[in-house]
PDB file of all heavy atoms in Angstrom:
ATOM      1  N   SER A  27    -156.728  -8.535  62.950  1.00  0.00           N
ATOM      2  CA  SER A  27    -156.892  -9.542  61.941  1.00  0.00           C
ATOM      3  C   SER A  27    -156.729 -10.988  62.527  1.00  0.00           C
ATOM      4  O   SER A  27    -157.524 -11.875  62.175  1.00  0.00           O
ATOM      5  CB  SER A  27    -155.878  -9.346  60.819  1.00  0.00           C
ATOM      6  OG  SER A  27    -156.030  -8.136  60.168  1.00  0.00           O
ATOM      7  N   VAL A  28    -155.807 -11.141  63.449  1.00  0.00           N
ATOM      8  CA  VAL A  28    -155.642 -12.453  64.078  1.00  0.00           C
ATOM      9  C   VAL A  28    -156.850 -12.822  64.896  1.00  0.00           C
ATOM     10  O   VAL A  28    -157.380 -13.973  64.843  1.00  0.00           O
ATOM     11  CB  VAL A  28    -154.361 -12.439  65.008  1.00  0.00           C
ATOM     12  CG1 VAL A  28    -154.274 -13.718  65.785  1.00  0.00           C
ATOM     13  CG2 VAL A  28    -153.118 -12.264  64.146  1.00  0.00           C
ATOM     14  N   GLU A  29    -157.414 -11.866  65.633  1.00  0.00           N
ATOM     15  CA  GLU A  29    -158.616 -12.150  66.415  1.00  0.00           C
ATOM     16  C   GLU A  29    -159.810 -12.511  65.454  1.00  0.00           C
ATOM     17  O   GLU A  29    -160.628 -13.364  65.814  1.00  0.00           O
ATOM     18  CB  GLU A  29    -158.972 -10.895  67.236  1.00  0.00           C
ATOM     19  CG  GLU A  29    -157.969 -10.642  68.367  1.00  0.00           C
ATOM     20  CD  GLU A  29    -158.303  -9.408  69.180  1.00  0.00           C
ATOM     21  OE1 GLU A  29    -159.235  -8.721  68.802  1.00  0.00           O
ATOM     22  OE2 GLU A  29    -157.627  -9.166  70.204  1.00  0.00           O
ATOM     23  N   ASP A  30    -159.902 -11.828  64.351  1.00  0.00           N
ATOM     24  CA  ASP A  30    -160.969 -12.107  63.402  1.00  0.00           C
ATOM     25  C   ASP A  30    -160.848 -13.577  62.904  1.00  0.00           C
ATOM     26  O   ASP A  30    -161.821 -14.285  62.733  1.00  0.00           O
ATOM     27  CB  ASP A  30    -160.987 -11.176  62.237  1.00  0.00           C
ATOM     28  CG  ASP A  30    -161.375  -9.759  62.603  1.00  0.00           C
ATOM     29  OD1 ASP A  30    -162.023  -9.619  63.661  1.00  0.00           O
ATOM     30  OD2 ASP A  30    -161.023  -8.829  61.905  1.00  0.00           O
ATOM     31  N   TYR A  31    -159.642 -13.971  62.614  1.00  0.00           N
ATOM     32  CA  TYR A  31    -159.427 -15.357  62.130  1.00  0.00           C
ATOM     33  C   TYR A  31    -159.766 -16.369  63.252  1.00  0.00           C
ATOM     34  O   TYR A  31    -160.373 -17.442  62.958  1.00  0.00           O
ATOM     35  CB  TYR A  31    -157.946 -15.559  61.729  1.00  0.00           C
ATOM     36  CG  TYR A  31    -157.586 -14.909  60.400  1.00  0.00           C
ATOM     37  CD1 TYR A  31    -156.525 -14.022  60.281  1.00  0.00           C
ATOM     38  CD2 TYR A  31    -158.353 -15.231  59.254  1.00  0.00           C
ATOM     39  CE1 TYR A  31    -156.209 -13.445  59.049  1.00  0.00           C
ATOM     40  CE2 TYR A  31    -158.022 -14.688  58.050  1.00  0.00           C
ATOM     41  CZ  TYR A  31    -156.942 -13.765  57.918  1.00  0.00           C
ATOM     42  OH  TYR A  31    -156.638 -13.174  56.767  1.00  0.00           O
ATOM     43  N   VAL A  32    -159.445 -16.058  64.483  1.00  0.00           N
ATOM     44  CA  VAL A  32    -159.786 -16.976  65.597  1.00  0.00           C
ATOM     45  C   VAL A  32    -161.313 -17.085  65.737  1.00  0.00           C
ATOM     46  O   VAL A  32    -161.830 -18.173  65.913  1.00  0.00           O
ATOM     47  CB  VAL A  32    -159.124 -16.482  66.907  1.00  0.00           C
ATOM     48  CG1 VAL A  32    -159.659 -17.287  68.085  1.00  0.00           C
ATOM     49  CG2 VAL A  32    -157.617 -16.575  66.831  1.00  0.00           C
ATOM     50  N   ASP A  33    -162.025 -15.890  65.668  1.00  0.00           N
ATOM     51  CA  ASP A  33    -163.457 -15.919  65.771  1.00  0.00           C
ATOM     52  C   ASP A  33    -164.093 -16.772  64.632  1.00  0.00           C
ATOM     53  O   ASP A  33    -164.988 -17.578  64.901  1.00  0.00           O
ATOM     54  CB  ASP A  33    -164.001 -14.517  65.679  1.00  0.00           C
ATOM     55  CG  ASP A  33    -163.648 -13.702  66.913  1.00  0.00           C
ATOM     56  OD1 ASP A  33    -163.354 -14.284  67.965  1.00  0.00           O
ATOM     57  OD2 ASP A  33    -163.652 -12.448  66.810  1.00  0.00           O
ATOM     58  N   ALA A  34    -163.592 -16.566  63.384  1.00  0.00           N
ATOM     59  CA  ALA A  34    -164.150 -17.351  62.322  1.00  0.00           C
ATOM     60  C   ALA A  34    -163.865 -18.838  62.501  1.00  0.00           C
ATOM     61  O   ALA A  34    -164.685 -19.688  62.154  1.00  0.00           O
ATOM     62  CB  ALA A  34    -163.538 -16.834  61.009  1.00  0.00           C
ATOM     63  N   ALA A  35    -162.678 -19.169  63.013  1.00  0.00           N
ATOM     64  CA  ALA A  35    -162.326 -20.578  63.183  1.00  0.00           C
ATOM     65  C   ALA A  35    -163.214 -21.281  64.171  1.00  0.00           C
ATOM     66  O   ALA A  35    -163.693 -22.405  63.976  1.00  0.00           O
ATOM     67  CB  ALA A  35    -160.855 -20.684  63.594  1.00  0.00           C
ATOM     68  N   PHE A  36    -163.528 -20.634  65.346  1.00  0.00           N
ATOM     69  CA  PHE A  36    -164.337 -21.274  66.361  1.00  0.00           C
ATOM     70  C   PHE A  36    -165.786 -21.284  65.960  1.00  0.00           C
ATOM     71  O   PHE A  36    -166.553 -22.178  66.347  1.00  0.00           O
ATOM     72  CB  PHE A  36    -164.127 -20.552  67.675  1.00  0.00           C
ATOM     73  CG  PHE A  36    -162.920 -21.060  68.417  1.00  0.00           C
ATOM     74  CD1 PHE A  36    -161.708 -20.379  68.372  1.00  0.00           C
ATOM     75  CD2 PHE A  36    -162.986 -22.229  69.169  1.00  0.00           C
ATOM     76  CE1 PHE A  36    -160.597 -20.859  69.055  1.00  0.00           C
ATOM     77  CE2 PHE A  36    -161.871 -22.742  69.831  1.00  0.00           C
ATOM     78  CZ  PHE A  36    -160.672 -22.054  69.771  1.00  0.00           C
ATOM     79  N   ASP A  37    -166.248 -20.304  65.178  1.00  0.00           N
ATOM     80  CA  ASP A  37    -167.624 -20.370  64.680  1.00  0.00           C
ATOM     81  C   ASP A  37    -167.756 -21.573  63.752  1.00  0.00           C
ATOM     82  O   ASP A  37    -168.803 -22.290  63.828  1.00  0.00           O
ATOM     83  CB  ASP A  37    -167.967 -19.103  63.875  1.00  0.00           C
ATOM     84  CG  ASP A  37    -168.110 -17.884  64.774  1.00  0.00           C
ATOM     85  OD1 ASP A  37    -168.306 -18.098  65.986  1.00  0.00           O
ATOM     86  OD2 ASP A  37    -167.988 -16.735  64.287  1.00  0.00           O
ATOM     87  N   PHE A  38    -166.828 -21.808  62.917  1.00  0.00           N
ATOM     88  CA  PHE A  38    -166.882 -23.000  62.010  1.00  0.00           C
ATOM     89  C   PHE A  38    -166.788 -24.230  62.845  1.00  0.00           C
ATOM     90  O   PHE A  38    -167.521 -25.216  62.552  1.00  0.00           O
ATOM     91  CB  PHE A  38    -165.667 -22.890  61.056  1.00  0.00           C
ATOM     92  CG  PHE A  38    -165.591 -24.104  60.103  1.00  0.00           C
ATOM     93  CD1 PHE A  38    -166.417 -24.247  59.039  1.00  0.00           C
ATOM     94  CD2 PHE A  38    -164.620 -25.072  60.412  1.00  0.00           C
ATOM     95  CE1 PHE A  38    -166.299 -25.409  58.237  1.00  0.00           C
ATOM     96  CE2 PHE A  38    -164.541 -26.176  59.594  1.00  0.00           C
ATOM     97  CZ  PHE A  38    -165.339 -26.330  58.504  1.00  0.00           C
ATOM     98  N   TYR A  39    -165.953 -24.230  63.862  1.00  0.00           N
ATOM     99  CA  TYR A  39    -165.797 -25.437  64.738  1.00  0.00           C
ATOM    100  C   TYR A  39    -167.111 -25.758  65.438  1.00  0.00           C
ATOM    101  O   TYR A  39    -167.529 -26.896  65.507  1.00  0.00           O
ATOM    102  CB  TYR A  39    -164.695 -25.156  65.741  1.00  0.00           C
ATOM    103  CG  TYR A  39    -164.533 -26.276  66.761  1.00  0.00           C
ATOM    104  CD1 TYR A  39    -163.910 -27.479  66.376  1.00  0.00           C
ATOM    105  CD2 TYR A  39    -164.952 -26.136  68.068  1.00  0.00           C
ATOM    106  CE1 TYR A  39    -163.731 -28.526  67.283  1.00  0.00           C
ATOM    107  CE2 TYR A  39    -164.756 -27.164  68.986  1.00  0.00           C
ATOM    108  CZ  TYR A  39    -164.184 -28.353  68.582  1.00  0.00           C
ATOM    109  OH  TYR A  39    -164.026 -29.360  69.480  1.00  0.00           O
TER     110      TYR A  39
END
Side-chain angles (χ1 to χ4, degrees):
S27 297
V28 172
E29 291 179 354
D30 291 339
Y31 285 125
V32 173
D33 291 340
F36 276 98
D37 288 341
F38 176 77
Y39 177 73

